């Protein structure tokens, strides 16, 4: 069974990957995020240190570029399909920001407005409105530095249009179905637009790039890497590197926080009274009685509240370590953790809301690349 | 059996439609180009008068607009996929020019460079080069008035990109397969781009439009008309009218002149010595001996040389009538017609080549719409 290897940082909170992730890694030929790679990255963020970033493609290329001060880019996209974001989205931004601060020559944040139109049935006007009123401010509030980021809308980028069209001639329907399952015309267009976005920065300047994504976005990375190979002589693109983080679990303990289960989902933003109520109902690794917990200790590996600390709420590794040890020893009980998580979530949400308001006032001054 | 009805113009050269065309009309629900419609169009061109234009969709809407001096547009596209054009292409341009001169408020000639990339495997650079060096000058040489025409490249038109994407969400793969047969990602993108082009003028100004096409292009018209219905509340487009001409037959008598049979195809341009050789080998409606022909008369309905007169070389209806009658009576033999066709073709090619050179010098001053 594949494991993330033990590293210099004591990693008491589950170095073993759940079966679901192991299957994904093996099936799609991803590379495990090893300690060697962790060491090769300067000042890794908490997602990396804690192996929440658990696999990647070609990240060594980017680590080398960082160390050698060579140009590379980081890119991510906003899909303005819903009215809300949930907590899980934060991790993409945290990784984006990591590479931006680690010296990316260019950082692109694109609005996949056309993809929302093609695959989610939105009108372009609605997609644009949502992006400007909420998504872009939220991404800035979550840590994207607008002064160091290039923004664009797919619908305003003719270079993306041209690349997408070129790519449409370089893949068969059967190959796309093998990656995406059953297709609609909208999905065909959406997937090709995604590949075009990922490679668009290389039209402007030849350099490698890294795409931080949730594992569910890997199909786009696979398609894009195939297309890089098939257009080698024409474009000479470098295959995109990618870095994958685990999902934030649903508060009921299931694999992934999802908008389809609103009671187990933390919105960005959400009212503290509401997050408090949800956190108090969250699945923990607690025992069936206080006496048993004091005697045997809790099971933080199974605890969604601990996962919230690890992925989102606790920055300091030593503090996280301490929570882990206190739980395992039976010194710390679930009520204490829920109270603390509620408090940290309140602070986070208050901070986020204030930043969101500030970011909203900045949006009108943003410049969007038009091509 | 469906017939084009007899009309005020004596139409001795086959008012009966070949089976192939009848099947097409019935299968796809096209409307026959009737004498009533012919009368409703001011100064019909020779293709209309001779019922080479044999069917249409919604052309009455355009006839009404012409008569009532209301705005409408005409649009056609250049697919710069080959290095050459053949004679058949001329008819699209003749019909385009008819509507342009009949008072179209806007006339659009677009270069389907992205479609060539998506469906023919060209690079964008190559598609662009061919369009600028040959196709656009050829279209001007064949009668498009560049001063009254809006030109654009698909690859420079973000409005077309947006429409195409929107349409991708409004049709299923099964529906597209029912229209186009087996699909590739390139065909999906190409077909949606086509629909977007056809409706693009209506984004700029609400008005009906007419698309002159060969019957093989009707799938794009059908898809576009379906998409108009499905986006009624969002865009309120008017379904495009279309007008279809018969194919120029291959010189060996088969259904359609085609690049795949170069010896039976007349190129634009082609050297007079070469066209002479091909015309002398063309299928005629002649009898097996001179004596039989003098006695029974020829069969112009079966004669490719007569079809060249009718579709391309003889402008004057009375002259065409005379050729027809002389052939039927046995007074005129095939050698005379071939000599005359050779001569008219030489004049046409010399004129075309001179216009082509002139048009090439104009291309650098053309303005292309960018959106």
């Amino acid at each position: 069974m594949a494991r993330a290897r033990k590293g210099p940082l004591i990693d008491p909170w589950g170095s073993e990957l759940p079966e679901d992730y192991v299957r994904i890694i093996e099936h799609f030929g991803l590379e495990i995020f090893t300690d060697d790679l962790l060491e090769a990255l300067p000042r890794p963020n908490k997602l990396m240190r804690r192996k929440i970033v658990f696999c990647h493609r070609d990240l060594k290329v980017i680590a080398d570029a960082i160390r050698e001060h060579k140009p590379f880019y980081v890119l991510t996209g906003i899909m303005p399909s819903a009215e809300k974001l949930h907590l899980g989205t934060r991790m993409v931004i945290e990784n984006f920001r990591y590479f931006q601060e680690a010296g990316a020559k260019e950082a692109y944040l694109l609005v996949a407005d056309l993809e929302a139109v093609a695959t989610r049935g939105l009108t372009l006007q609605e997609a644009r409105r949502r992006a400007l009123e909420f998504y872009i401010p939220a991404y800035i509030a979550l840590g994207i530095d607008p002064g160091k980021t290039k923004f664009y809308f797919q619908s305003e980028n003719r270079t993306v249009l041209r690349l997408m069209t070129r790519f449409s001639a370089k893949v068969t329907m059967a190959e796309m179905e093998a990656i995406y399952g059953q297709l609609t015309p909208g999905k065909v267009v959406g997937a090709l637009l995604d590949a075009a976005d990922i490679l668009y920065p290389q039209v402007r300047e030849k350099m490698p790039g890294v795409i931080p994504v949730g594992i569910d976005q890997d199909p786009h990375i696979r398609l894009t890497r195939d297309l890089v190979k098939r257009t080698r002589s024409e474009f000479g693109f470098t295959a995109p590197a990618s870095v994958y983080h685990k999902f934030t679990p649903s508060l009921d303990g299931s694999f992934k926080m999802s908008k389809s289960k609103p009671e187990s989902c933390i919105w960005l933003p959400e009212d503290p009274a509401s997050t408090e109520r949800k956190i108090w109902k969250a699945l923990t690794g607690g025992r069936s009685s206080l006496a048993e917990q004091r005697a045997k200790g809790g099971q933080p590996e199974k605890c969604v509240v601990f996962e919230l600390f690890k992925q989102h709420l606790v920055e300091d590794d030593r503090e996280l370590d301490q929570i882990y040890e206190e739980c395992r020893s039976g010194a710390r009980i679930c009520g204490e953790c829920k109270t603390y998580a509620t408090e940290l979530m309140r602070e986070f949400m208050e901070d986020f809301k204030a930043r969101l308001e500030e970011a909203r006032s900045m949006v009108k001054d943003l410049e969007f690349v038009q091509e």
Side-chain angles (χ1 to χ4, degrees), chain A residues 11-246:
Chain A
D11 179 1
W13 42 82
S15 64
E16 195 157 306
L17 281 168
E19 273 294 342
D20 289 329
Y21 290 114
V22 173
R23 272 204 308 275
I24 289 167
I25 287 175
E26 290 178 350
H27 189 71
F28 296 118
L30 298 166
E31 298 171 70
I32 290 176
F33 184 72
T34 61
D35 290 329
D36 286 350
L37 194 50
L38 181 65
E39 280 178 70
L41 292 166
R43 294 178 301 285
N45 67 19
K46 71 174 185 292
L47 302 178
M48 296 167 179
R49 296 192 311 268
R50 297 171 188 178
K51 299 284 173 72
I52 295 157
V53 165
F54 72 107
C55 64
H56 69 98
R57 292 182 191 272
D58 279 354
L59 191 56
K60 179 136 194 333
V61 174
I62 302 300
D64 290 349
I66 294 173
R67 205 178 48 248
E68 295 162 18
H69 302 287
K70 288 188 174 162
F72 70 96
Y73 65 95
V74 57
L75 174 143
T76 192
I78 291 172
M79 168 78 104
S81 56
E83 288 281 1
K84 299 189 200 178
L85 284 174
H86 71 60
L87 195 61
T89 315
R90 244 187 111 212
M91 291 195 281
V92 170
I93 299 167
E94 195 164 337
N95 282 332
F96 179 94
R97 191 175 154 185
Y98 169 79
F99 292 107
Q100 189 171 34
E101 290 174 353
K105 181 166 180 189
E106 300 289 357
Y108 285 91
L109 179 59
L110 69 101
V111 179
D113 56 346
L114 290 179
E115 195 179 343
V117 166
T119 64
R120 308 292 169 100
L122 262 69
T123 64
L124 199 61
Q125 291 71 16
E126 181 60 17
R128 190 179 179 87
R129 185 190 67 73
R130 291 183 191 182
L132 290 171
E133 290 182 6
F134 177 62
Y135 282 86
I136 294 171
Y139 273 56
I140 293 171
L142 291 169
I144 292 218
D145 182 344
K148 294 179 179 165
T149 304
K150 286 200 159 73
F151 297 85
Y152 73 86
F153 285 85
Q154 280 177 332
S155 64
E156 295 179 350
N157 193 321
R158 284 177 289 216
T159 304
V160 166
L161 165 65
R162 289 169 203 153
L163 274 182
M164 183 271 276
T165 308
R166 187 75 182 121
F167 292 160
S168 76
K170 294 289 181 182
V171 61
T172 69
M173 209 58 98
E175 288 163 341
M176 287 192 74
E177 278 167 1
I179 295 174
Y180 291 99
Q182 196 169 4
L183 292 168
T184 62
K187 281 185 183 174
V188 170
V189 169
L192 294 169
L193 280 170
D194 244 15
D197 281 324
I198 289 172
L199 296 169
Y200 156 70
Q202 297 191 41
V203 176
R204 298 168 65 114
E205 181 177 352
K206 286 270 183 294
M207 56 181 164
V210 59
I211 322 296
V213 281
I215 189 71
D216 53 332
Q217 298 300 303
D218 186 56
H220 295 313
I221 303 291
R222 291 205 300 280
L223 175 66
T224 307
R225 290 172 63 96
D226 278 353
L227 288 167
V228 165
K229 281 185 213 149
R230 289 168 191 204
T231 58
R232 178 110 36 222
S233 64
E234 185 177 348
F235 295 122
F237 290 142
T238 301
S242 52
V243 55
Y244 307 85
H245 53 79
K246 292 180 194 168

Side-chain angles (χ1 to χ4, degrees), chain A residues 243-256:
Chain A
V243 55
Y244 307 85
H245 53 79
K246 292 180 194 168
F247 293 123
T248 296
S250 175
L251 295 181
D252 63 8
S254 56
F255 194 51
K256 186 187 173 190

